[in-house]
Amino acid sequence: RKEVEQDPGPFNVPEGATVAFNCTYSNSASQSFFWYRQDCRKEPKLLMSVYSSGNEDGRFTAQLNRASQYISLLIRDSKLSDSATYLCVVNTHSDQAGTALIFGKGTTLSVSS
Amino acid sequence: GAGVSQSPRYKVAKRGQDVALRCDPISGHVSLFWYQQALGQGPEFLTYFQNEAQLDKSGLPSDRFFAERPEGSVSTLKIQRTQQEDSAVYLCASSLSGVNTIYFGEGSWLTVV
């Protein structure tokens, strides 16, 4: 089982739609959680960290459920510019990964007019 | 420049050739990471440095892969006797310390023919 799993996608939505991405992680000892955004042929960039209490940044809301080992990202009022791949990322303190981040495969979002 | 710089941006290598990929992190960043991203996949951790010390190399896929950061700044990822399955984007990232805010370079796109 992969350490970080995401919805396969792609998600094709019209402008203005609300879309949610889900992610699960396997290591219960994981400490930190993030969503990264990656545009086509570009490097990943941090979108937002995910906190246990849930956090919001404008149209983006991230939530963490430690008991279920589940992370979500909600995007409201989708814009064309939101089209990208969204990567779920976990800091897994395991012997195998050390202090590095473990990335999911990513979910592709395409917003159309 | 202010960001993480990688070179070459694009490299085509013949199978069996050795390649060297360079990463110039953001000035003052202690932590440096190398990731490999195959087409349609998320970045996969390769190795991690804190200053000049390579603290984790558990992600290196074989002994053909070698990374160094001799003076705690610039890092080089070397791949010996390249094979087709090595074709991927090699991403370098750096952070002041740890993983909470890491910045990626644009990547070195390697194609082995």
Side-chain angles (χ1 to χ4, degrees):
Chain A
R1 180 187 168 189
K2 204 162 164 46
E3 289 192 69
V4 178
E5 297 201 52
Q6 297 185 238
D7 285 352
F11 285 63
N12 299 303
V13 303
E15 273 186 294
T18 295
V19 61
F21 303 138
N22 304 316
C23 168
T24 57
Y25 60 95
S26 61
N27 190 330
S28 59
S30 298
Q31 301 291 317
S32 313
F33 310 89
F34 310 89
W35 283 100
Y36 275 68
R37 171 190 169 131
Q38 187 171 27
D39 291 289
C40 188
R41 300 181 70 82
K42 294 288 190 180
E43 73 275 23
K45 292 182 179 175
L46 178 64
L47 178 66
M48 58 197 302
S49 300
V50 187
Y51 303 115
S52 297
S53 54
N55 49 301
E56 191 173 304
D57 182 2
R59 298 180 294 108
F60 298 82
T61 301
Q63 292 195 313
L64 168 65
N65 184 324
R66 284 188 184 269
S68 302
Q69 295 178 202
Y70 170 94
I71 306 161
S72 67
L73 177 68
L74 184 77
I75 305 175
R76 291 182 299 278
D77 188 24
S78 300
K79 310 291 184 193
L80 293 174
S81 57
D82 294 335
S83 298
T85 296
Y86 291 83
L87 299 160
C88 177
V89 187
V90 172
N91 180 13
T92 298
H93 290 287
S94 70
D95 289 340
Q96 206 170 17
T99 58
L101 299 176
I102 305 299
F103 286 76
K105 281 189 177 182
T107 302
T108 300
L109 172 65
S110 178
V111 181
S112 57
S113 58
Chain B
V4 178
S5 177
Q6 292 189 244
S7 62
R9 286 295 318 281
Y10 303 95
K11 174 72 178 178
V12 178
K14 290 186 178 178
R15 192 166 44 182
Q17 188 178 351
D18 296 349
V19 299
L21 308 176
R22 176 189 167 108
C23 173
D24 208 332
I26 295 172
S27 178
H29 277 196
V30 169
S31 299
L32 185 144
F33 306 85
W34 283 99
Y35 286 83
Q36 179 192 59
Q37 187 172 23
L39 195 63
Q41 304 294 315
E44 297 273 352
F45 169 73
L46 293 177
T47 187
Y48 160 60
F49 290 87
Q50 186 168 308
N51 295 306
E52 68 279 2
Q54 189 174 21
L55 298 187
D56 189 340
K57 56 182 181 179
S58 62
L60 296 175
S62 76
D63 59 8
R64 296 187 296 104
F65 287 72
F66 172 77
E68 61 182 3
R69 194 186 185 196
E71 296 177 1
S73 179
V74 171
S75 176
T76 303
L77 176 67
K78 297 179 180 177
I79 309 173
Q80 296 178 321
R81 305 181 303 281
T82 52
Q83 299 176 6
Q84 279 195 308
E85 60 262 30
D86 300 335
S87 296
V89 182
Y90 291 85
L91 293 162
C92 177
S94 72
S95 72
L96 274 172
S97 179
V99 299
N100 282 343
T101 305
I102 71 170
Y103 299 88
F104 282 89
E106 291 185 296
S108 289
W109 294 66
L110 174 65
T111 302
V112 181
V113 297

